[in-house]
Amino acid sequence: MDSALASDGGIVPPSVPPAPSDGGGRYLRQSVRTAVKILVVGHFAVGKTTFVGSLSEIRPLRTEEQMTQAGAYVDDLAGIQGKTTTTVAMDFGRLTLSDSLVLYLFGAPGQQRFTRLWQDMTQGALGALVLADTRRLEQSFDVMGLLEEHGLPYAVAVNHFDGAPVHPDEEIREALDLLPETPLVTCDARDRVSSTRALITLVEYLQSLQPLRAGTAQEYV
């Protein structure tokens, strides 16, 4: 693995975060002075809730509701018939990177009817990780367009689904029309180590653009 953010804008040595806690890490350390916000985004049913849950050291906040027949007209279940719930507000998780730095993960709902919620969630965010599914790559365009509209840098992580087609990175980059500098990785959102690697890729990209600046990190006093 590579590295993550340090409280001074530098690099934290490579590490895998502790397994999600059942409550032992419930409270924020008193030594924490800086909080960084990262969005986890993607189209409907791409694995955002699973990704946040695999990394969070606390029991993640989830706003999932049971899907109903009425939602069938707006939520495309083609190829994902086993999905029975959907996020209606956001997912939230926390990851402590050092004694003084904490990372907050916000998972945004993927349906277009929640677009207005994005305007609030992007405020103060350092960047975003876009999860993608090779079976529905075209559905990622709206998500990436929203990020670009809000001026939020992002990396793309192709989430592994059993039975999904596998394509070379070059083909995926071309299909998504990614800029040469936009990072592209693969991950399994169910696996903590794999999710960590994808998150580190995003953080390193953000650090290559500019150091932490006012408005992207909250200082605790």
Side-chain angles (χ1 to χ4, degrees):
M1 248 175 296
D2 295 317
S3 49
L5 278 171
S7 58
D8 60 357
I11 297 293
V12 172
S15 62
V16 178
S21 168
D22 290 329
R26 181 180 307 165
Y27 301 107
L28 196 63
R29 297 177 187 176
Q30 292 185 350
S31 60
V32 169
R33 292 294 178 267
T34 305
V36 175
K37 179 181 180 182
I38 294 289
L39 301 188
V40 179
V41 300
H43 56 71
F44 174 63
V46 77
K48 300 178 294 293
T49 298
T50 300
F51 184 92
V52 172
S54 73
L55 282 176
S56 181
E57 65 192 13
I58 59 173
R59 189 185 301 277
L61 169 66
R62 292 172 174 168
T63 56
E64 288 196 307
E65 294 293 341
Q66 198 72 22
M67 298 179 65
T68 64
Q69 187 60 37
Y73 297 100
V74 290
D75 296 331
D76 184 7
L77 292 176
I80 50 172
Q81 286 79 6
K83 186 172 178 62
T84 59
T85 61
T86 184
T87 299
V88 296
M90 68 176 182
D91 300 305
F92 174 78
R94 189 186 77 201
L95 186 61
T96 300
L97 299 183
S98 72
D99 288 340
S100 61
L101 178 66
V102 67
L103 177 68
Y104 290 131
L105 297 171
F106 287 78
Q111 297 95 317
Q112 285 191 341
R113 62 182 181 275
F114 295 114
T115 297
R116 292 188 62 182
L117 181 61
W118 278 62
Q119 296 177 352
D120 293 329
M121 295 186 68
T122 57
Q123 296 298 314
L126 188 66
L129 184 67
V130 179
L131 295 185
D133 181 350
T134 57
R135 299 169 298 181
R136 297 175 291 153
L137 285 176
E138 72 284 352
Q139 295 185 24
S140 297
F141 284 110
D142 288 342
V143 175
M144 294 187 298
L146 282 171
L147 294 174
E148 292 167 3
E149 178 182 332
H150 288 88
L152 204 61
Y154 60 88
V156 176
V158 177
N159 191 15
H160 172 76
F161 288 91
D162 295 336
V166 178
H167 303 289
D169 286 355
E170 294 76 13
E171 293 183 7
I172 295 176
R173 298 188 72 92
E174 183 177 358
L176 293 176
D177 195 24
L178 298 181
L179 294 174
E181 62 270 22
T182 301
L184 173 66
V185 297
T186 59
C187 75
D188 185 336
R190 301 166 295 185
D191 181 76
R192 182 170 56 94
V193 173
S194 180
S195 297
T196 299
R197 288 172 175 158
L199 184 62
I200 287 173
T201 297
L202 168 66
V203 170
E204 288 194 325
Y205 173 57
L206 297 177
Q207 288 227 322
S208 74
L209 298 178
Q210 55 188 339
L212 287 177
R213 62 187 188 279
T216 60
Q218 177 179 352
E219 296 292 336
Y220 290 91
V221 295

